Each structure stands twice: as C-alpha cells, then as structure tokens.
Amino acid sequence: GTKSQDSGIAEMEELPVPHNIKISNITCDSFKISWDMDSKSKDRITHYFIDLNKKENKNSNKFKHKDVPTKLVAKAVPLPMTVRGHWFLSPRTEYTVAVQTASKQVDGDYVVSEWSEIIEFCTADYSKVHLTQLLEKAEVIAGRMLKLSVFYRNQHKEYFDYIREHHGNAMQPSVKDNSGSHGSPISGKLEGIFFSCNTEFNTGKPPQDSPYGRYRFEVAAEKLFNPNTNLYFGDFYCMYTAYHYVILVIAPVGSPGDEFCKQRLPQLNIKDNKFLTCDEEDGVMVYHHAQDVILEVIYTDPVDLSLGTVAEITGHQLMSLSTANAKKDPSCKTCNISVGR
C-alpha cells in the first residue's frame, strides 16, 4: 500500500481468528473456554473479546460492527480461560458464544480479528455446594417443630379412580415439574409422588383446604418415612408471597430415587434436621415438621392406596396456593443465593 508508506506506518498483519472453540468445566454460573489460532501475529494479541448471548438472540452478532468492543473484554490470559462473574449466568440456560482476538493500540483503540464461529452450550444445574447454601438459608426461617402423624396428597376423584383402574391401586411416580429454583437439579428429572405434611397449628391435623382437589389420600407417616428411607433437601423458594416452600425428598434406601439424590442433593439426618424428623420415643416413631415453611415432600417409589385412606375434604379448593410450574421470585433476599439466577 502506497498510502501506508507515505504516512510512515507499516501495514499490520491481520490478527488470528479463533477457531475450534471448546467449552468445558460448565457450572450453573461459570465455564472455561479455549480455542485454537494461527501462530502468525499471535504475539500481538493483548485482549480477547467474548460475546455471550442467551440462545434466543442467535443472530445478534450479524448486526454488530466488528470493531466495537462487545460484552466482555478480557486480558489475553493463557487458555483455557474461566468466565464467571462478568454476567449473571443463569443455570440450565442455553447460550451462544463467539470470540475475537484484539490488539490494544497506543491511542487506546483496538484492532480486532474477525469473529470466530458461534457455538452453543447450556449451563448446568445447581451443584450440591449451591444447594447447601440454599439449605442453610432455609434453616434460618424454618421455625419451631410441630408434631405430625400423617402424610397426605390431594387430587380429584378421577385421579384416584384412574389409579385403581389402570395402575393396580398404586400411585405412580411422575417427573417433577419446573416449579421452584431455576437451577434445581430435580426439576424435569426426578420422578416421585408429591405429599404434604403440614398441620394446622390449633388442631395438629392436616388443613381442610387444598388447591389440588377435593379428595385426599392420607397415610401414617411411618409407612413412608422411617429408618429404611433417606431424606434429602431439594429446594427452597417463594412465589412473590410471604410464605416459603421447602422441597424434601424421601427415598427408600438403595432405590433408583435414592441413587439419583445421593449424587445431586444434600442428605439430611432423619433424626436431626430443621424440616422433618423421625425419631423413636419409647418404642414409638414420633414425627415433627417445621412450622414456618410449607413442606412439599416427594416420595420416589410407587405408593399403594391400601396403605392409607381416601376421603373427601370439607374445606375449599384454594387454587391460589397451587405451585404447579410456579416461578421463583428472583428478587427475594430470603431464598436466593448469589449464583446464577
């Protein structure tokens, strides 16, 4: 170029474009990224530009001017590089990422390479470490323990008729919905049957109202929860309300549900925890539940209706209390931890 000779500046070689991008060590709010690039002009790279988008913005790169620094400008550190904290990465969310190399000039401007290809990845669920942080927050508000004697499950009459007719009288585990924390490792994965165990303060019995149907299956607590079962903490959340929910999982020792939980959830001591306990007093099993949270108990094996009774409740159906696919309030200070939302 004659122009560059006139101005006394030698033309700069183009910076190498990252290719063969690899994402590894993915957690709910961090990941490692590395790539290959030609060695030519490699020593001129001072920075990396990383463009990260939630997957729905697939085409956003097309409209960006390539010389405009994008969301993250990182010093050119040895690869793989860990990306965390620069964004509120959400757990269990699909992202696209593209990279370019950059060279910071004396005047503060950047010379940049072309963008790499765009690749996609999905962040992980909460780990046991994150769930333990949630557990500790839940323990703070659990309140004192009240006695209970039964677990119960409300449904419509049709549900119980169907169980008798098509499932040989046994309620079958089904996959948990997506209510609760977005990073919960049990949502959409753990199979179980939901039970309640909260009691009314004045009667010590289950409340007569329910959002889930007018028919109630009631079963003595020891039939589902005893020294042959393990207890796990599953989640802690609220839905823009004053009250909070805690999900617990009861799994018969050695069952598929137990194996699933053992790898993913904090295990609780059945005799000594802040939510639901089972202990022997004078040869009799005694049960207690936390007063100040609403417990949702998931039992991971089929439950035969002959173990308990089905009867109609006298109270109302309070639909507003239903938690089906309910979204957690991300701004609540009580039940959120400071990792990806």
Side-chain angles (χ1 to χ4, degrees):
T2 52
K3 183 162 175 281
S4 59
Q5 285 162 357
D6 296 344
S7 56
I9 301 170
E11 284 221 344
M12 297 182 81
E13 285 185 67
E14 289 207 357
L15 290 170
V17 181
H19 59 93
N20 194 19
I21 293 176
K22 290 193 179 67
I23 303 282
S24 60
N25 295 65
I26 300 171
T27 73
C28 68
D29 65 346
S30 72
F31 61 92
K32 280 189 173 171
I33 185 168
S34 65
W35 57 81
D36 301 332
M37 51 192 165
D38 300 336
S39 49
K40 206 169 64 152
S41 300
K42 211 172 172 178
D43 50 354
R44 285 187 26 238
I45 299 170
T46 60
H47 291 78
Y48 305 136
F49 292 171
I50 296 179
D51 185 22
L52 184 79
N53 290 287
K54 281 197 178 166
K55 197 173 157 186
E56 54 262 24
N57 303 336
K58 234 187 222 120
N59 301 323
S60 57
N61 279 334
K62 285 184 188 162
F63 306 110
K64 287 191 175 134
H65 187 255
K66 82 176 177 71
D67 295 337
V68 178
T70 56
K71 299 192 181 155
L72 174 66
V73 179
K75 281 217 158 61
V77 295
L79 299 174
M81 178 175 95
T82 299
V83 177
R84 71 149 54 85
H86 305 284
W87 292 279
F88 284 116
L89 279 170
S90 299
R92 209 187 259 216
T93 304
E94 295 192 324
Y95 288 94
T96 61
V97 68
V99 198
Q100 51 185 183
T101 57
S103 174
K104 194 169 191 177
Q105 307 300 291
V106 184
D107 61 7
D109 276 350
Y110 290 94
V111 174
V112 294
S113 73
E114 296 289 331
W115 280 108
S116 69
E117 77 269 28
I118 299 172
I119 64 156
E120 300 177 359
F121 71 99
C122 188
T123 46
D125 295 333
Y126 283 158
S127 66
K128 267 193 197 175
V129 172
H130 298 117
L131 286 168
T132 301
Q133 291 172 18
L134 264 186
L135 162 64
E136 286 162 0
K137 297 199 91 166
E139 286 174 339
V140 172
I141 69 151
R144 68 193 184 109
M145 304 289 274
L146 302 176
K147 269 195 177 177
L148 75 120
S149 58
V150 297
F151 289 106
Y152 56 95
R153 171 175 172 79
N154 275 66
Q155 281 285 353
H156 301 286
K157 182 174 184 296
E158 295 75 24
Y159 169 82
F160 292 111
D161 291 344
Y162 186 86
I163 293 301
R164 292 186 187 100
E165 215 171 303
H166 298 277
H167 288 296
N169 220 35
M171 293 188 288
Q172 299 299 314
S174 60
V175 176
K176 186 196 165 297
D177 68 8
N178 285 314
S179 58
S181 300
H182 189 54
S184 166
I186 59 177
S187 291
K189 293 181 184 174
L190 178 69
E191 294 191 6
I193 305 169
F194 261 109
F195 285 92
S196 302
C197 64
N198 291 69
T199 55
E200 286 189 315
F201 188 66
N202 48 359
T203 66
K205 290 187 163 55
Q208 277 302 314
D209 303 319
S210 164
Y212 299 113
R214 299 198 56 82
Y215 283 77
R216 175 173 291 171
F217 171 72
E218 242 178 58
V219 58
E222 62 262 25
K223 296 272 172 74
L224 300 188
F225 186 35
N226 53 59
N228 298 320
T229 54
N230 282 327
L231 182 68
Y232 297 91
F233 171 81
D235 201 2
F236 176 45
Y237 68 101
C238 73
M239 304 175 298
Y240 305 90
T241 50
Y243 41 87
H244 277 83
Y245 295 86
V246 167
I247 298 180
L248 301 174
V249 184
I250 297 176
V253 173
S255 67
D258 190 35
E259 294 307 314
F260 178 94
C261 294
K262 205 171 247 125
Q263 294 166 32
R264 295 169 181 83
L265 305 180
Q267 189 170 344
L268 301 174
N269 178 341
I270 66 169
K271 292 184 177 181
D272 180 25
N273 68 78
K274 292 277 199 286
F275 310 108
L276 182 66
T277 59
C278 149
D279 210 354
E280 205 175 312
E281 289 176 23
D282 305 326
V284 181
M285 294 304 241
V286 179
Y287 293 87
H288 289 86
H289 72 88
Q291 173 189 331
D292 294 337
V293 290
I294 298 175
L295 295 177
E296 299 183 298
V297 178
I298 299 176
Y299 186 78
T300 62
D301 270 13
V303 175
D304 201 288
L305 294 178
S306 63
L307 291 175
T309 57
V310 175
E312 192 170 0
I313 57 170
T314 56
H316 302 285
Q317 256 188 271
L318 304 173
M319 289 320 291
S320 62
L321 284 175
S322 169
T323 61
N325 284 312
K327 289 288 161 266
K328 178 171 178 171
D329 176 359
S331 63
C332 177
K333 297 280 186 283
T334 306
C335 62
N336 282 286
I337 51 177
S338 61
V339 294
R341 299 288 179 263

